[in-house]
Amino acid sequence: MNDSGMADEDISLNVLDIRRGTTVDGPGFRTSIYLSGCNHRCPGCHNPDSWPFDGGVSMTLAEIMDVVREEEFNVTITGGDPLYQPEKIKKIVDAVTAEGLTVWIYTGFTWDEIQADPTKMEAVAHAEAVVEGRFIMNLRDPDLPFRGSTNQRIVFPGRI
Ligand code: SF4
């Protein structure tokens, strides 16, 4: 183990931004981690700059957890689409939940697609919630809490 309490075999992720105290990516004040990389290419995407997988800056999981611990807010992992790298997402979820914090994950994959892929299911298994599905412009609803379009659903893996 290193000083941050992470296993010595750390991982790195390309991070576009980490925002502390946000209230739009799930309930309450949260630390939102924006990871680069998405191939869904939804027309009307809120952030096409998030599509390249080599965007942002490379951070280790230990460095990300140091930021998470500064506020002890619950955490949202978004992007981009985090579930293009499910093995790494599982490690973030494990590290955050070990701190007694909960995790929401935003993904363009549908819940059916997640269920069909064991590595994605492992990544989300201990998340409190998964906000799933592509953004569909003609189903956009700015009044929807925590979602962009009405096709997107909030799934609670622990309740299934
Ligand atoms: S899944 Fe999200 S980040 Fe990816 S293209 Fe669609 S709206 Fe943009």
Side-chain angles (χ1 to χ4, degrees):
M1 301 291 275
N2 57 32
D3 290 343
S4 294
M6 302 303 305
D8 289 327
E9 187 188 331
D10 204 351
I11 57 167
S12 62
L13 302 104
N14 276 56
V15 178
L16 295 165
D17 197 6
I18 301 179
R19 292 185 200 156
R20 289 167 292 181
T22 181
T23 57
V24 297
D25 297 328
F29 291 104
R30 312 187 71 80
T31 296
S32 286
I33 304 165
Y34 293 79
L35 301 177
S36 65
C38 183
N39 281 336
H40 295 303
R41 299 178 178 272
C42 309
C45 169
H46 62 291
N47 188 11
D49 289 343
S50 70
W51 294 356
F53 284 83
D54 59 356
V57 297
S58 179
M59 293 180 71
T60 65
L61 177 54
E63 289 170 332
I64 292 170
M65 289 306 299
D66 284 344
V67 177
V68 167
R69 288 190 192 100
E70 285 176 15
E71 302 285 0
E72 294 281 320
F73 293 139
N74 290 319
V75 169
T76 294
I77 309 170
T78 182
D81 187 337
L83 289 188
Y84 279 103
Q85 40 193 342
E87 293 91 350
K88 292 183 178 182
I89 299 309
K90 180 181 185 314
K91 289 180 186 260
I92 302 179
V93 173
D94 287 347
V96 172
T97 55
E99 297 286 321
L101 304 172
T102 62
V103 182
W104 280 40
I105 298 173
Y106 278 72
T107 177
F109 292 101
T110 64
W111 185 247
D112 285 348
E113 290 169 329
I114 294 167
Q115 286 184 301
D117 181 337
T119 59
K120 288 185 177 58
M121 275 303 286
E122 280 183 35
V124 306
H126 297 112
E128 181 181 38
V130 178
V131 184
E132 58 87 77
R134 277 64 148 184
F135 171 70
I136 297 178
M137 187 63 141
N138 61 9
L139 297 179
R140 177 176 177 271
D141 182 347
D143 294 327
L144 271 180
F146 312 133
R147 288 160 287 162
S149 55
T150 56
N151 61 294
Q152 295 171 317
R153 294 179 301 163
I154 303 174
V155 178
F156 297 89
R159 300 183 194 172
I160 293 174

